Amino acid sequence: MTETVEHLRDFNYFKLNTDVKSILAEYIWIDGTGERMRSKTKVYKDPITKLSDLEWWTYDGSSTEQANTKWSEIYLKPVVYVKDPFRGSPHVLVLCETYLPDKKTPARYNFRFIANEIMEKAKDFKPWFGIEQEYFLLKRTGTTHIWPLGWPTGGFPYPQGRYYCSIGERNNFGRALAEAHLRACLNAGLKIAGINAEVAPSQWEFQIGIAEGIEIGDHLWLARYILERLGEEFGIDINYDPKPILGDWNGSGAHTNYSDVKTRGPGGYQYIVNELIPLLQNTHQEVLKLYGANNEQRLTGNHETSSYNTFSWGDGSRGGSIRVPVITKELGAGYLEDRRPAANIDPYLVSAVIVDVALLNSTYVNQLKQLLVDSAKQL
């Protein structure tokens, strides 16, 4: 990267003595914005070898936009854990669902519970996903992140064209962070498939998948958490806005690749074209409400996007709502890519609604939309 990274922080220099047998479990959850994450550490004396070894815990929901002060306790329910790539073995990262004090009512922006219900109903179809998570890297000045890494302060770099999958100091900004993220995700055991520099300068992408069912949301949220933590060490903010820089610059998406036993089986391409795509077209406006806030700023029909208001598809098309890869057509079976989701999606919502539309006759679409509306209501 072109800038000197200031205040580089390594939170891991204080090694635990060899006689310390405690296990550090970092409990992670989605807060009341639906986009940001929080975490805190719990010390265990015994090894963590299975999910049931991890206790439910609580936190102050009034400080995370999920509760008021008079009724502030929110429960954390551990749902999956992985190796902690920062502290190392035997410490763990623990992804949690959030619940109100009755331990039954989901807290604001807990959509995993409904996504898991949908995935369970469709599990015989083995829905597979791969999500391409785009993001921008922003420089930090004090507590304010004002401009993309590598861009002239308050100004603009050379036009797009030279930055996608680029190499070289004048073209590529932030590789050190992206590479560290890839390795940390692999060390954690996440299903990360790759990384690349994207079309806009200081824009990157990582891919999660192939992941089946609820696993896609779990692994994407954990990968985001790891990326944010690395951003702390580099003094760089991770930005998932669909269109962080207005003008002739690409926005950020979360293209979602989908397949199931029907698309992957004999005649899968014809099934995609004749049955699945019409289902996606008929629910276009409804599902867009679940595809990320302010996504209309990104889906303009320019910069490798489709129109927000018009559904379209094509073989190999990166200008449509749905791209059917050329390899799927060649093989007669495979997967499709939904190019509509924005970078700031909740992957639980997006994966759940795709499965619902494709396999469950859109039974849950209205419920998913209402849950999002209810979460956005003022406390």
Side-chain angles (χ1 to χ4, degrees), residues 108-169:
R108 296 179 80 193
Y109 291 101
N110 172 8
F111 302 128
R112 187 186 185 279
F113 82 98
I114 189 67
N116 196 43
E117 179 180 321
I118 290 169
M119 296 305 179
E120 281 297 307
K121 287 193 174 182
K123 64 182 180 181
D124 290 344
F125 293 97
K126 298 188 178 300
W128 291 357
F129 294 93
I131 294 183
E132 305 164 25
Q133 176 69 73
E134 295 177 331
Y135 60 94
F136 269 84
L137 302 176
L138 301 186
K139 292 188 297 184
R140 180 172 57 82
T141 301
T143 59
T144 303
H145 298 85
I146 57 173
W147 213 235
L149 184 72
W151 291 36
T153 302
F156 297 92
Y158 285 106
Q160 294 183 161
R162 59 195 288 178
Y163 307 108
Y164 174 70
C165 295
S166 63
I167 62 169
E169 189 271 345

Side-chain angles (χ1 to χ4, degrees), residues 81-98:
Y81 70 96
V82 298
K83 292 177 286 187
D84 186 334
F86 301 102
R87 292 167 171 151
S89 180
H91 312 296
V92 293
L93 303 180
V94 184
L95 186 64
C96 300
E97 291 184 15
T98 53

